[in-house]
Amino acid sequence: MKVNHINSNLIKININEALRYLGYRNNNVDVETYKLLNESIIELQNICEFKYVYRIFEVKNENNIINFENFIKITSNDLAKLFKDCKKSAVIAATIGFEVEKRIKYFNSTNLTKAVIFDACASAYIEALCDYVESEIMEIAAQEDYNTTFRYSPGYGDVPISHQKEILNALNAQKYIGLSSLDSSILVPRKSVTAFIGFNKGNETNNKSCLNCNLYNNCSFTKKGENSYDK
Amino acid sequence: MINKLKEKFLYFDGAMGTMLQKSGLNIGELPEELNILKPEVIYNIHKEYLNAGANIISANTFGANKLKLNNSSYTVEEIIIAGIEVAKKSIDGLENKYVALDIGPTGTLLSPLGTLSFEDAYDIFKEQVIAGVKARADIILIETMTDLYELKAAVLAAKENSNLPVFCTMSFQDNGRTFTGTDIAAFVSVAEGLGVDVIGVNCSLGPKQLQSIVDELIKYSSTPIMVQANAGLPKYNNNITYYDISPEEYSHEINKMANKGVSIFGGCCGTTPEYIKSIIATLDELKPLELTKKHFTTTTSSSKTVFLGDEVKIIGERINPTGKKRLKEALRENNLDYVIREAIAQQDTGSDILDINVGLPDIDEKEMMKKVISEVQSVVSLPLQIDSSNVEVIETAARIYNGKPIINSVNGKKESLEQILPIVKKYGTLVVALTLNEEGIPKTAKKRLEIASNIINTAKSYGISEENILIDPLVLTASAEQENVMETLKAIPLIKKKYNVKIVLGTSNVSFGLPNRKLLNTTYLAMALSLGLDAPITDSTNEALLDVIRSYKVLANQDIDSKDYIRTYGNVTTENTFVTSNSDLKEIIIRGLKDEAKKVSLELLKKYNSIEIINKYMIPALDIVGGKYEQQEIFLPQLIRSAETSKVVFESIKEKLANEGNDFVDNKKILLATVKGDIHDIGKNIVKLILENYGYKIIDLGKDVDIEKIVETIHNENIHLVGLSALMTTTVKNMEYTIKAIKENSPQIKIMVGGAVLTPDYASKIGADYYSKDAREAVNIAKKIFEN
């Protein structure tokens, strides 16, 4: 297990990612939106608390049940397929903290335009933090001569989102990074992610694919003829 | 036990989880079940800590609450009783050893951050406390809290359902705040106010990083302090998880803490009996220091502490319906947006504390007070002053308030003292005390001092100390009682000389009935400040009053180096030099020029009536914007900006109508809500904004809304269309239940639904009449419904 709180200058976001969440594709962004984007990014750099915890589990994968040392047990065809040759898995939880949540609420009452833009930038930040954690996990895997699968979260494919609580408990996430979930499995603070990354010996890396996602039929990106992952 | 602290340090045990892992058990996710399944393992761990020298054993009950044991085959009571029993067995026959019922966080978040209500959190803790008392625990240890609100629920549950000593700790990050933003001063203010016996920090950091947090604790706390640090943070290398602080390094840091005044120690994550042994060996020769009594006057929210006395603090007075037509209307209509905007405006203009008064004869004041406090606290970080003449409202508000509030007010009448002071004591609040009694407001300063003395002494008999009392010597109106106006001011130094209390005063009544009220108000305020007024209850959006306060702070050496003053007045430029190039309202809305919208619409209102403006400018502009959005010529931020601009125009129209004594006719009512269990509301708020622009009256019930509440509101408000939002697969279920309940009770109602996981198919499957893919679509649906 490892817990880390990192400095904000280690995390950089891609502004296009935030724009994509707002529905822009390769369109020109108007000046005012651009100004609010920049304001939001500067503000987020000051208030984000980048925190994560992960733990490497031995995994058993039998009859479509993936067992993480009895801490988490998931019944899923999709994850079983992804974890076909995996003997281990990292389980990660990451968050950018409550201050962001509070700011979004504040803008929601004072300036809805800014709220929407700020929210999109915050989403880009948690994604960027996950990328950072993922690269750390890949290094660990490489030291032990493993490849890694892509990041897979509850709610993808047929993995029920209701596993959030087990995952958070297994990582002691509330204690270490202040992350918990509601009955509805919504993570709080909301700009947070939990995910699995499998360790396998195969050469083939599994790419992120939209077809693996249960939002595939109703994704706002695919609806517009665009993909989230198949970039 | 607490009394023995003068002689000896107390030692808790170290980590349970770390020891369980060492025992090689495959424990899975509910380690508390081991109390029943493998009590011998738990017993042995307790014994190891006792052998290391620990005095207090924490039973293995940290997560034994209803929520975390949801999937367990054992009840909370069974697990807690088994846990305490095995701990009791381990101390059997030993002297000076105690067992603590260990209570950790519920594992979920309280509303408004989450969805668990304060009352439900209280009940969860109550169940644990009752089981612990039944099993004869010696102490209640509430630990590792990160949410001050949850801590308050737990402490109240412990105090109201047991007579046991209550120890409580929160865990802090290296920025000196808990994960949810509480600082040490707020924690100490609230926990001490609630009467805990020991206060402290645990977990999260290693002892070295905790030193600065301990310093802060010692600065503010008059209550014995405990520390249970981690052995650092877990790290991972070469397949091993490890903590990087050795027992020796650990106890070296503990020694420093003992020399600062901490008297109770133990360990958290990563610590083992070796650490406890090492601490005890290090402190063997020492005696605990006695903490000095502190005398701060503080009021707090969950994340902000305001110290009264050091410099002038402003108590914002605007949330009080007396004489305010718009606010009255907003409260009657349940329009909390308006209240929140007032709160934010006061925060942004420099109020330090906000007075909250929602007393109106024709509303349920208690329910409204609860709602307003919760909503205001979710957006504004300032502490609040609960202002009501109804004792029940005050008690309820003090209970559900997150932090240490001010109660406004008690007075010298016997009845008032008997009703209000117990609440002040129990919830550990500040209280405003008015210098009046059965004989009314006294004429002289001396008499005011007498009443103040009586209140202060009576408060002391309830265990309330001077620093928790704010005296209000009551302003008189110059037009009516000119000869006595100065008596109020003279009372300030009289009272302050005798007592360590702070002075508050609502100053603006002095000018009532006279011309140029601003002049009298500012002069009077300056006089009161110079005589020692600590916190005027006033309007921070009023520049003239702020001018007085800012300049006073310079002259009284409170604004050091005149920093605030220079920042405010140093480069005053005339505002809005920006010249409007475009006075066409339609264009202004399309381009989203919020700042210009008001001026131009006021101009137009001189020439046209409101309907003309709406039909000729607003609606066409909005249609153009909507069309562009559909064509993907513009995107969401621009759509919202135009809508916000259009809302400014709307507000101007409404204001003008209200001034003329007319109401805007809006009988096309739409109810919006994010369904039970879901807390996502940006999408719903966008829909609301856009619909409002088309003249629909929106009843917004917010997020995480109970089904019954929706059904009831439809009935009471004569609603025609309901919009429901849900973002999660898990909460779409609740959407389905909500629709079913609505249709059963009001079959004629049309329902539209939206949210990320919904599809048109799914919407119709769960019984919705319309699927609205975005805010623009919601307008089309509304038009269809209301034009038929």
Side-chain angles (χ1 to χ4, degrees), chain B residues 314 349 507-508 511 516-527 529 536 538-553 565 568-569:
Chain B
I314 302 172
T349 49
T507 51
S508 37
S511 62
N516 200 351
R517 292 188 63 179
K518 185 167 104 180
L519 185 54
L520 287 169
N521 286 344
T522 50
T523 307
Y524 186 77
L525 178 60
M527 291 162 80
L529 289 171
T538 190
D539 181 358
S540 66
T541 66
N542 182 328
E543 264 305 309
L545 295 169
L546 274 190
D547 286 343
V548 173
I549 293 169
R550 287 196 199 104
S551 49
Y552 173 78
K553 281 186 171 177
Y565 189 86
T568 313
Y569 301 106

Side-chain angles (χ1 to χ4, degrees), chain A residues 1 3 23-25 30 32 51 69 71 98 102 105-106 108 112-113 174 176 178 181 184 188 190 218, chain B residues 26 28 107-109 173 179-180 234-235 241 243 348 632 635 638 641 644 677 679 685 703 730 756 758:
Chain A
M1 181 179 285
V3 176
Y24 291 88
R25 277 180 288 157
D30 62 300
E32 184 64 17
K51 290 173 291 214
E69 299 177 25
F71 279 88
F98 274 103
K102 291 183 187 166
K105 247 176 178 310
Y106 175 83
N108 230 320
L112 199 53
T113 312
Q174 186 176 28
Y176 284 128
S181 67
S184 50
V188 187
R190 263 174 291 169
N218 189 37
Chain B
N26 202 341
T108 187
L109 271 161
Q173 309 176 80
F179 291 129
T180 58
K235 299 198 163 59
T241 294
Y243 292 84
D348 290 351
Q632 298 200 19
F635 295 87
Q638 291 146 287
R641 209 166 67 231
E644 286 191 292
I679 54 170
N685 293 345
K703 57 189 197 216
T730 42
L758 284 165

Side-chain angles (χ1 to χ4, degrees), chain B residues 231-245:
Chain B
L233 283 179
K235 299 198 163 59
Y236 181 85
N237 201 9
N238 286 331
N239 232 342
I240 308 171
T241 294
Y242 63 99
Y243 292 84
D244 56 356
I245 309 227

Side-chain angles (χ1 to χ4, degrees), chain A residues 1-5 22-25 27-28 30 32-33 36 49 51 54-56 58 69-71 88 97-99 101-102 104-106 108-117 119 140 143-144 161-162 165-166 169-170 172-190 214-215 217-218 223-224, chain B residues 21 26-29 62 67-68 105-109 112-115 144 146 150 171 173 175 179-181 203-204 230 233-239 241 243 268-269 302-303 340-341 344 347-348 378-379 594 632 635-638 640-641 644 677-682 685-686 689 703 728-731 755-759 771:
Chain A
M1 181 179 285
K2 173 174 168 178
V3 176
N4 206 358
H5 298 194
L22 290 168
Y24 291 88
R25 277 180 288 157
N27 317 76
N28 284 337
D30 62 300
E32 184 64 17
T33 301
L36 289 174
E49 291 168 358
K51 290 173 291 214
Y54 61 77
R55 181 167 168 183
I56 318 283
E58 310 274 332
E69 299 177 25
N70 283 344
F71 279 88
K88 285 186 175 187
F98 274 103
E99 220 31 57
E101 186 94 2
K102 291 183 187 166
I104 292 174
K105 247 176 178 310
Y106 175 83
N108 230 320
S109 301
T110 52
N111 183 341
L112 199 53
T113 312
K114 174 92 181 257
V116 169
I117 292 171
D119 189 273
I140 290 175
Q143 278 170 17
E144 301 173 22
I161 197 152
S162 54
K165 197 145 261 173
E166 275 165 78
N169 283 343
N172 227 335
Q174 186 176 28
K175 227 175 175 180
Y176 284 128
I177 63 170
L179 178 58
S180 54
S181 67
L182 307 180
D183 277 352
S184 50
S185 297
I186 295 171
L187 294 172
V188 187
R190 263 174 291 169
N214 72 348
L215 293 178
N217 291 320
N218 189 37
K223 275 182 204 163
K224 289 181 189 163
Chain B
Q21 263 163 35
N26 202 341
I27 51 177
E29 55 163 337
F62 180 83
L67 296 182
K68 285 193 177 165
T106 58
T108 187
L109 271 161
L113 286 171
T115 52
T144 327
T146 56
E150 188 172 9
S171 94
Q173 309 176 80
N175 63 8
F179 291 129
T180 58
C203 200
S204 75
N230 283 0
L233 283 179
K235 299 198 163 59
Y236 181 85
N237 201 9
N238 286 331
N239 232 342
T241 294
Y243 292 84
C268 203
C269 308
S302 72
S303 60
I340 286 170
R341 281 205 301 273
I344 289 174
Q347 171 172 267
D348 290 351
S378 75
V379 182
K594 266 190 261 183
Q632 298 200 19
F635 295 87
L636 192 58
Q638 291 146 287
I640 297 171
R641 209 166 67 231
E644 286 191 292
D678 208 321
I679 54 170
H680 295 90
D681 60 356
I682 287 197
N685 293 345
I686 296 170
L689 174 68
K703 57 189 197 216
M728 307 281 289
T729 45
T730 42
T731 53
V757 294
L758 284 165
T759 58
Y771 165 70

Side-chain angles (χ1 to χ4, degrees), chain B residues 636-651:
Chain B
L636 192 58
Q638 291 146 287
L639 177 74
I640 297 171
R641 209 166 67 231
S642 288
E644 286 191 292
T645 307
S646 164
K647 190 174 173 178
V648 172
V649 180
F650 229 127
E651 293 282 322

